[in-house]
Amino acid sequence: MSIRILNCKTEYMVNPLGLDTAAPRLFWQLESERPETVQTAYRILVAHSRDELDREEGTAWDSGITSSGDSAHIAYGGKPLEAEALYIWKVKVWDGEGLESEWSEPALWTMGLLDRGAWRGKWIGRKAEPSVQLQPPPYLRKSFKLRGGIRRAVAYATALGIYELQVNGHRVGDRFAPGWTDYDKRVQYQTYDITDLLKAGGNAVGVILGDGWYSGTVGFLGKSVYGQRPFFLLQLNIDYEDGSRESITTDGTWRTMRGPIAYSDMIQGEEYDARLELGDWSTAEYGDEAWEKPDVRAGYNGLIVAMVEPPVRITQTVKPISVRKTAAGSYIFDMGQNMVGWTEVRASGAWGTRITLSHAEMLSPDGSLYLDNLRKAVQQDHYVMNGEGEEQYEPHFTFHGFRYVEVIGFPGVPGLDDVTGKVIHSDTPAAGKLETSDEMVNKLYSNITWGQRGNFLSVPTDCPQRDERLGWTGDAQIFARTASYNMDVSRFFTKYVWDMIDCQQPSGAFTDVAPDGGWIRHKMWNTRLNWFAPDNSGWGDAGVIIPWTLYLMYGDIRVLERHYDAMERWVQYLKQNSDGLIRPDYANYADWLSIGADTPNEVLATAYFAYSAKLLSRIAGVLGKREDEQTYDELHAAVADAFRGAFVDGSGQIHGDTQTVYVLALQFGLLTEQLRKKAIDRLVADIRGRGNRLSTGFLGVGYLLPALTDNGHTEVAYDLLTQEEFPSWMYSIKHGATTIWERWDGWTEEKGFQTPSMNSFNHYSLGSVGEWMYRYMAGIEADPASPGFKHAIIRPRPGGRLTWVKASYASNYGTISTEWQMEPNGVFKLQVSIPANTTADVYVPGEAALVNGAEPGISPVPGSKQDGCSLFRLGSGRYAFESIQAGIPHC
């Protein structure tokens, strides 16, 4: 067959377990060597067993031959789905010539516990030990016997806190489950098929229960934000071959005990005493007579929902590049990369030897760890040895942001193999790749991805090292497009939108951080901060911008449908809390950490008000709400008119006269055509007047290079990208940065370290330039009219000192790639790959010809010379283009 089906997924996942959505969406990709391959129809079969599927019996759903080119977001349309049931599916397609493919390989999903009443267990924990500030994580266990003939065993588990699950001595699941939510509103549960771990006869289930975000330290918001102690909930359903069922649930018959972990806290680190280890405590043979009865919680009033986000995992390991001994006798290891996770150490020593692992991002001028920027966080783990040969240790319920590790108390002289860095984050698979002829640009891209890797941990946090680590919404929205190019963040942001919805205020205002974690209470009562704004422009607007980004990058309409009312409430709130459509100046953050420029709050707030209205109009149009589409389009126009009347003079000068005010006005559609030209001139003049340097903070930086490029100043954009003097992206790279810094002046040659009270060296916000690198430099752009890259816009913008760029992006339909070179003779060459069942408009600078990859005689679209480009409208395949004349104009 010329067409093959691969990468079948359900709800963005491969063979997910425990879904609770009534109509899961199905995805597949097509592969074909034949150019311009399209799908014209599909047939999906969903069955309860492999045998039924092999017999082509769609016992749950047979879609029939459905005329459609869609191969993503196909909603299940069969019989009502049953709790805990297994569903196996396959698909075949027909191409543009009517040829029928083979069936895909089968894929599956299972449903979870769909009704609150299906949960029969109780929440269990351990009573607090008196006079102990940081409580030891409880160990919980249950022994039980099973009959032979086990057909399937599925465990459903969650916690108010975080947990590590073990079955018969084997670890099950991932890290930091069930993830961070506003526990007052909802908690996620995880589903595990543990059939292979159980046996006839004696079995045991064990869990270590950590405080996590629930009762541990949450940033600078303190301990026990949601509750005083963690609790665990488990339901293990065992189905036998004879059709009977047995359930093991958490209840008062379980046993609990303190173990070797003295404490394990997100912000305060961990202490582990190997002398107190409990042996094979999660096996059936273990004797727990000395263990205590658990503490049983009365109940839980929030929602218990299936896990939405991707799990947190160890995704790679890092070996140190050097080690040196300090004058104090400790050893400092350089991991060579600012990373997030923890350190594993191996050592042999005497009983009672205490090893401390201390972590930091930077070194002080004297070579010691720079710890000042941690504030109240303690990035230390302590391990007490039991003296039984080589011992291996890594922490359980904490994480650190670091490049350097100081090992104190190591028995002997440690080598590079004795320390290993474990990189952890939400397991969002890599989606994009980008490489250029410029090694510093490549390093910038690496720093951007490492910043994302380090801060996407259940929620998009702002920093991984100090006592903060909160899900700031403004940071997330400005980086969302960059994040989507770098990694598959479909599920990650889908869950984060729920976090924002859960803490939306009765007024309609979205919050500054999500989950809230007590931030609203903290800022409203903290007179030192003096931050009392009920909303913040650019932060609250994430409630509209991030759902729109999910639609644009993944074609996800459901996220718009689910949250339309919440987005509308936000825009109505902005309108009601404006004066003549001009927003007030009370925002707390403005263009956060701008450098040498102060953008007025009211200008920012009004610009973002207009942008949220504009996006809501587009969203209403997508959902077929024509009246709303017109209403919010008119609102955008009215806000833009008010903006011009209040803030823009006839010369094009905007109040504040900062780069950010011009960038937002240009990108949010707030100016007339005449004023646009004047505004871009003022923006360019400001940049040139600063010696080709930027001044934008968090809210302006993501739009800066797009605004320049969209308005004919690509060279200025490249000048900013590759600027090496302060302030710039390259300045930090010249001084050893391996992640994006929180602030442009985190460290400078003249002043050294910035104020330690807010100086993270791993913070993704200023890395939002990655969006421009993909969309403009590499030229891979989504089309709002055909989202999710069903139709792509390929429009690379060569410039600056770069001579070639290679990039690819793994969309729902397959991988799109571009590669361009500027030859020494000035001839521009472009190679493009377009996946099957998609199309693309390819813009090639100058007069260009298609030199291979299609039938002879294919030429640009008639009348397609646009803005100095030749336009080719193409289907799937691999194509090569070449400019006809040297000296390429920008297009």
Side-chain angles (χ1 to χ4, degrees):
M1 287 289 176
S2 62
I3 188 170
R4 294 168 298 282
I5 302 172
L6 30 115
N7 294 335
C8 290
K9 296 181 179 180
T10 307
E11 285 298 314
Y12 296 106
M13 293 176 277
V14 176
N15 299 335
L17 303 180
L19 300 181
D20 64 358
T21 180
R25 294 164 295 178
L26 310 181
F27 302 72
W28 61 88
Q29 294 176 1
L30 305 183
E31 183 179 78
S32 175
E33 297 300 321
R34 193 153 44 86
E36 302 187 343
T37 295
V38 296
Q39 171 190 300
T40 58
Y42 64 78
R43 182 187 178 195
I44 299 170
L45 295 179
V46 183
H48 294 284
S49 72
R50 179 65 184 265
D51 288 343
E52 292 172 340
L53 202 65
D54 289 344
R55 294 194 300 267
E56 297 191 14
E57 297 176 3
T59 51
W61 183 37
D62 183 344
S63 72
I65 300 176
T66 303
S67 296
S68 173
D70 294 333
S71 56
H73 297 283
I74 308 301
Y76 170 82
K79 298 176 182 178
L81 298 172
E82 301 174 8
E84 301 188 74
L86 168 68
Y87 294 90
I88 305 177
W89 67 278
K90 62 182 179 181
V91 61
K92 69 165 50 177
V93 303
W94 285 259
D95 69 10
E97 298 181 2
L99 297 176
E100 181 180 349
S101 75
E102 298 285 354
W103 287 104
S104 68
E105 288 296 314
L108 64 84
W109 82 85
T110 69
M111 300 302 291
L113 299 177
L114 304 183
D115 182 80
R116 184 62 174 267
W119 288 93
R120 295 194 294 276
K122 299 182 182 298
W123 295 86
I124 62 172
R126 183 171 182 259
K127 292 182 178 179
E129 296 187 4
S131 304
V132 176
Q133 180 66 25
L134 293 173
Q135 291 288 322
Y139 282 59
L140 297 149
R141 72 180 308 276
K142 170 75 173 180
S143 293
F144 53 94
K145 291 184 178 180
L146 298 176
R147 295 184 282 113
I150 299 171
R151 181 177 63 84
R152 187 171 74 139
V154 179
Y156 304 94
T158 188
L160 301 174
I162 53 182
Y163 68 89
E164 177 185 312
L165 181 64
Q166 298 188 20
V167 177
N168 288 333
H170 298 277
R171 180 174 180 138
V172 176
D174 301 297
R175 309 285 175 150
F176 298 161
W180 187 8
T181 54
D182 265 323
Y183 299 97
D184 296 336
K185 300 291 181 66
R186 74 181 66 228
V187 65
Q188 301 176 113
Y189 70 86
Q190 290 71 46
T191 302
Y192 310 107
D193 188 324
I194 60 170
T195 308
D196 294 341
L197 295 179
L198 298 181
K199 61 185 186 297
N203 294 270
V205 175
V207 69
I208 311 173
L209 188 56
D211 289 335
W213 297 279
Y214 179 75
S215 54
T217 309
V218 178
F220 49 73
L221 302 176
K223 279 180 54 61
S224 304
V225 169
Y226 298 99
Q228 295 299 313
R229 289 173 289 124
F231 289 87
F232 178 65
L233 178 66
L234 173 79
Q235 182 156 320
L236 168 55
N237 291 335
I238 301 105
D239 294 320
Y240 292 97
E241 297 289 355
D242 63 8
S244 62
R245 164 173 281 197
E246 185 174 357
S247 294
I248 307 299
T249 63
T250 43
D251 57 23
T253 66
W254 284 53
R255 309 293 285 176
T256 183
M257 179 57 76
R258 174 180 180 150
I261 309 173
Y263 62 86
S264 190
D265 184 86
M266 292 285 196
I267 302 296
Q268 301 299 321
E270 175 173 306
E271 178 163 340
Y272 185 99
D273 191 339
R275 300 171 299 180
L276 303 177
E277 289 178 337
L278 300 173
D280 296 329
W281 64 277
S282 62
T283 63
E285 296 74 23
Y286 183 82
D288 59 12
E289 295 81 6
W291 287 39
E292 311 158 3
K293 291 183 178 181
D295 185 29
V296 179
R297 179 185 166 109
Y300 170 67
N301 293 327
L303 299 173
I304 305 176
V305 301
M307 187 172 184
V308 178
E309 66 185 83
V312 175
R313 290 179 173 140
I314 298 172
T315 61
Q316 66 188 93
T317 59
V318 176
K319 298 299 294 185
I321 61 174
S322 68
V323 59
R324 64 177 174 83
K325 187 175 183 179
T326 69
S330 62
Y331 295 86
I332 293 181
F333 289 79
D334 181 358
M335 307 305 295
Q337 172 64 54
N338 197 3
M339 54 175 281
V340 173
W342 52 73
T343 304
E344 176 191 85
V345 64
R346 295 175 181 267
S348 298
W351 184 90
T353 300
R354 181 182 176 89
I355 301 174
T356 295
L357 305 169
S358 187
H359 303 79
E361 296 181 293
M362 302 286 274
L363 296 177
S364 297
D366 64 1
S368 63
L369 296 191
Y370 177 69
L371 302 175
D372 293 351
N373 68 331
L374 301 182
R375 300 194 302 213
K376 293 183 179 180
V378 181
Q379 292 205 126
Q380 288 188 339
D381 303 318
H382 308 280
Y383 178 71
V384 181
M385 304 184 71
N386 60 25
E388 299 177 3
E390 183 179 76
E391 300 176 48
Q392 175 184 337
Y393 165 73
E394 58 183 295
H396 296 74
F397 303 124
T398 190
F399 67 94
H400 313 299
F402 65 99
R403 172 174 174 170
Y404 300 96
V405 184
E406 184 172 11
V407 181
I408 305 166
F410 189 91
V413 179
L416 294 179
D417 291 335
D418 293 322
V419 165
T420 302
K422 301 291 184 75
V423 177
I424 65 156
H425 58 93
S426 293
D427 193 5
T428 49
K433 296 179 181 178
L434 193 148
E435 185 181 5
T436 79
S437 59
D438 191 304
E439 283 306 313
M440 290 193 71
V441 174
N442 295 340
K443 186 60 179 175
L444 172 60
Y445 176 68
S446 173
N447 290 4
I448 291 168
T449 57
W450 273 101
Q452 179 173 342
R453 196 175 286 123
N455 284 289
F456 276 34
L457 200 159
S458 188
V459 303
T461 62
D462 60 315
C463 59
Q465 73 299 100
R466 67 180 180 232
D467 60 339
E468 190 161 346
R469 312 183 196 187
L470 302 176
W472 289 94
T473 51
D475 308 36
Q477 65 87 5
I478 201 66
F479 191 73
R481 279 294 294 278
T482 297
S484 301
Y485 277 110
N486 290 338
M487 302 175 189
D488 179 359
V489 293
S490 52
R491 295 168 57 207
F492 182 84
F493 273 128
T494 295
K495 181 264 185 182
Y496 187 63
V497 173
W498 277 116
D499 292 332
M500 289 189 286
I501 297 300
D502 282 347
C503 52
Q504 187 176 20
Q505 299 300 286
S507 64
F510 284 113
T511 55
D512 308 338
V513 301
D516 173 63
W519 168 249
I520 293 175
R521 181 177 66 250
H522 175 81
K523 81 167 188 175
M524 289 302 183
W525 286 89
N526 192 313
T527 56
R528 180 186 61 81
L529 280 176
N530 196 31
W531 283 353
F532 306 113
D535 66 89
N536 275 282
S537 55
W539 274 257
D541 300 280
V544 178
I545 295 170
I546 292 178
W548 174 253
T549 302
L550 286 169
Y551 172 73
L552 193 63
M553 295 297 289
Y554 302 106
D556 196 328
I557 294 178
R558 188 172 287 181
V559 72
L560 305 182
E561 294 171 336
R562 281 174 173 165
H563 304 303
Y564 181 80
D565 289 346
M567 292 185 278
E568 190 172 34
R569 287 176 58 216
W570 164 248
V571 172
Q572 289 297 328
Y573 166 83
L574 295 178
K575 182 179 179 182
Q576 293 162 8
N577 289 273
S578 300
D579 183 1
L581 300 181
I582 298 299
R583 295 277 293 134
D585 65 354
Y586 55 53
N588 301 137
Y589 317 129
D591 188 24
W592 188 250
L593 297 181
S594 58
I595 190 86
D598 293 321
T599 296
N601 279 334
E602 65 273 24
V603 179
L604 271 173
T606 306
Y608 263 98
F609 173 22
Y611 189 47
S612 279
K614 181 180 182 179
L615 291 186
L616 188 59
S617 173
R618 291 180 178 177
I619 291 166
V622 169
L623 300 180
K625 300 176 181 290
R626 299 305 171 201
E627 186 175 335
D628 283 2
E629 180 183 17
Q630 180 177 346
T631 295
Y632 292 113
D633 182 58
E634 291 172 352
L635 177 59
H636 170 263
V639 177
D641 186 63
F643 181 93
R644 293 191 298 272
F647 304 129
V648 188
D649 67 20
S651 70
Q653 180 171 331
I654 301 175
H655 178 51
D657 200 27
T658 66
Q659 293 176 16
T660 291
V661 298
Y662 295 109
V663 163
L664 298 187
L666 289 164
Q667 293 303 97
F668 293 172
L670 306 182
L671 304 175
T672 64
E673 188 58 34
Q674 184 180 16
L675 287 174
R676 282 182 67 88
K677 294 176 180 177
K678 294 178 179 179
I680 192 65
D681 287 344
R682 296 194 70 90
L683 173 62
V684 171
D686 186 275
I687 294 168
R688 296 300 194 201
R690 295 172 183 265
N692 291 328
R693 292 176 176 84
L694 48 71
S695 66
T696 45
F698 281 20
L699 297 185
V701 67
Y703 299 109
L704 177 58
L705 302 196
L708 290 165
T709 308
D710 287 342
N711 290 278
H713 290 277
T714 299
E715 283 302 321
V716 182
Y718 273 103
D719 288 343
L720 289 174
L721 179 74
T722 56
Q723 172 63 259
E724 297 183 14
E725 300 304 314
F726 173 80
S728 69
W729 289 284
M730 298 303 172
Y731 183 81
S732 64
I733 292 172
K734 282 176 60 179
H735 293 91
T738 61
T739 43
I740 297 296
W741 293 355
E742 177 179 23
R743 51 197 311 155
W744 300 112
D745 57 354
W747 182 92
T748 61
E749 293 172 295
E750 292 79 14
K751 297 182 179 180
F753 290 112
Q754 245 289 356
T755 170
S757 63
M758 192 183 65
N759 196 19
S760 165
F761 292 96
N762 190 353
H763 196 300
Y764 57 73
S765 294
L766 298 181
S768 55
V769 67
E771 175 187 339
W772 179 87
M773 295 167 75
Y774 273 105
R775 292 177 57 202
Y776 295 86
M777 186 175 75
I780 301 175
E781 171 68 297
D783 182 354
S786 188
F789 294 91
K790 177 66 171 171
H791 178 78
I793 299 170
I794 308 296
R795 190 171 185 172
R797 316 294 180 102
R801 66 195 191 198
L802 275 63
T803 57
W804 58 265
V805 171
K806 299 177 184 178
S808 64
Y809 172 70
S811 75
N812 279 335
Y813 293 93
T815 299
I816 304 162
S817 66
T818 64
E819 179 178 351
W820 62 257
Q821 309 90 33
M822 183 67 73
E823 299 294 332
N825 61 3
V827 173
F828 178 81
K829 294 182 178 180
L830 173 66
Q831 295 82 44
V832 172
S833 180
I834 304 167
N837 201 34
T838 70
T839 57
D841 284 354
V842 181
Y843 293 81
V844 186
E847 294 288 344
L850 180 66
V851 296
N852 64 42
E855 295 297 324
I858 285 192
S859 59
V861 178
S864 65
K865 195 68 166 52
Q866 296 186 10
D867 301 324
C869 278
S870 299
L871 168 60
F872 299 81
R873 189 153 292 157
L874 301 169
S876 64
R878 296 180 177 87
Y879 303 94
F881 307 87
E882 189 171 309
S883 59
I884 296 173
Q885 86 283 3
I888 304 301
H890 292 298
C891 72

